[in-house]
Amino acid sequence: MARAIWTGVITFGMVTIPVGLFTATEDHTLHFHQLQRGTADRIRNRRVNERTGKKVASKDIVKAYEAADGEYIIVEPEELDEIAPGRSQTIDISDFVDLADIEPAYFDRTYYLGPRGKEYTKVYELLRAALAESDKVGIATFVMRGKQYLTALRAEDKVLVLQTLHWADEVRDPRKELPELPARQAGKGKERDTAVQLIDALSTPWDPARYRDTFQDQVRELVKAKAQGEEIAVAEEAPQGTNVLDLMSVLESSLERAGGTGGTRRKTRQSESGRKSSAKQSRGKKTSSAAHGRADTKGELRRLNKAELYQQATERNVAGRSKMSRDELVDALAQAGGRKKRAA
């Protein structure tokens, strides 16, 4: 069971809920060690005294603010805790706002909030259910590890989620930062309509399990290939920008590839989902093999994104998959599917 990284209380009005804060995500990135080139010697970062060059223990390191050149003011952790609002133990909800009103650039990290004890589950669920019914998020501040955070508390199924937000002065104005932004609404009527149809054709219910970090897969394959002395795959080059003169023809070709008329992909996804459910009930353990059978034709393969195609290519051990384009993955999987049927 996970351990809380912070404990305190949520307050709204005169209601107080003791809670613990838990991390909501974890990092699965493949990490590398640093070595000196030409050796197997590890490179490590050490805390050393800048003047003497000697290593300093963590307990002997303090925080200091440089008030003038060479003049420092030492600040102890206990002093920071003493001036923190609510003594660093309170998530104080001051306002409730619509989630849609918060621009995406303001969101930072996501955490789960859980009640600290069964006796507090009722009031915890009361806040969660009220947020869900009102479709609001609670805006609050709290202090953790010597830093104050602006946060948004929102309701999910059975749990309260806390998302830290950037302060207003931390979010840049895109109109000032980006050199090229359209001065007016771009695209003609027909082009815009076709683009909307393309978006609709490619629309599907949100399912995070459909997406996979294929770059990490390729990094692992790179390490494996180098260890075995095999050829290293080279990634495909990024496509060139679409010429505005060819925009309409590119949109129409994209729409045709996506399935023709709007909503086709979404309907296909829903029907596939229904077939998966019935197959799971009738065939049980045979579901995984049936999933491969559903993608035997190019038409069905073309409805998958590149990450899904690459995942199937990995499962079927398609040679050279890491340097294939999306169309090449479709062709290779179609051939792999045909070979599998003949072998069966």
Side-chain angles (χ1 to χ4, degrees), residues 2-5 20-28 108-114 144 154 156 159-164:
R3 295 179 59 185
I5 62 172
L21 189 71
F22 300 83
T23 55
T25 60
E26 56 187 1
D27 182 18
H28 288 166
D108 189 13
R109 294 188 176 183
T110 304
Y111 300 89
Y112 294 137
L113 282 168
M144 179 173 63
R154 60 184 182 83
E156 282 195 3
V159 69
L160 281 172
V161 172
L162 180 144
Q163 292 184 282
T164 59

Side-chain angles (χ1 to χ4, degrees), residues 42-79:
R42 291 277 300 274
I43 304 300
R44 300 184 183 274
N45 296 321
R46 299 179 182 273
R47 293 187 174 98
V48 298
N49 184 306
E50 187 180 65
R51 179 177 56 82
T52 65
K54 294 182 179 180
K55 187 178 177 180
V56 180
S58 298
K59 63 182 180 63
D60 294 326
I61 298 176
V62 296
K63 292 183 177 181
Y65 175 79
E66 189 172 13
D69 188 20
E71 181 182 338
Y72 295 93
I73 298 174
I74 305 299
V75 178
E76 300 291 346
E78 297 79 11
E79 294 174 317

